[in-house]
Amino acid sequence: LVDAGLSSVLPLAPLTGDPGLITALVERWRPETSTFHMPFGEVTITLEDVATLTGLAIDGDAVIVDIPDEDWSAMCLRL
């Protein structure tokens, strides 16, 4: 993580929150719209939200993986 520049995620603890809250969020998740359906409307998690919660930078160069010897369409099908 340090070599990849992702050392800011090291202090993050595993999710050990309230099981009832997690269950409620799972029940309100709508995969067809990638949103949570709340009594006040639909909400979604943005990249900025993730950056705020994790401390990861969301600007700069993209992180890419070089897979020179593999057909991308075959890899996507496999995954």
Side-chain angles (χ1 to χ4, degrees):
L1 288 174
V2 173
D3 291 343
L6 301 173
S7 59
S8 62
V9 300
L10 290 175
L12 295 178
L15 186 59
T16 58
D18 179 3
L21 174 62
I22 294 170
T23 299
L25 287 173
V26 168
E27 290 173 354
R28 293 181 176 276
W29 179 251
R30 300 294 181 259
E32 58 277 356
T33 58
S34 297
T35 59
F36 291 99
H37 183 73
M38 303 299 219
F40 50 84
E42 287 187 331
V43 296
T44 189
I45 304 299
T46 66
L47 181 59
E48 186 177 4
D49 295 329
V50 173
T52 300
L53 293 170
T54 63
L56 292 173
I58 57 172
D59 56 351
D61 294 334
V63 177
I64 59 171
V65 176
D66 185 23
I67 304 177
D69 298 324
E70 185 161 335
D71 178 50
W72 283 98
S73 60
M75 181 188 68
C76 289
L77 286 172
R78 188 178 76 249
L79 293 174

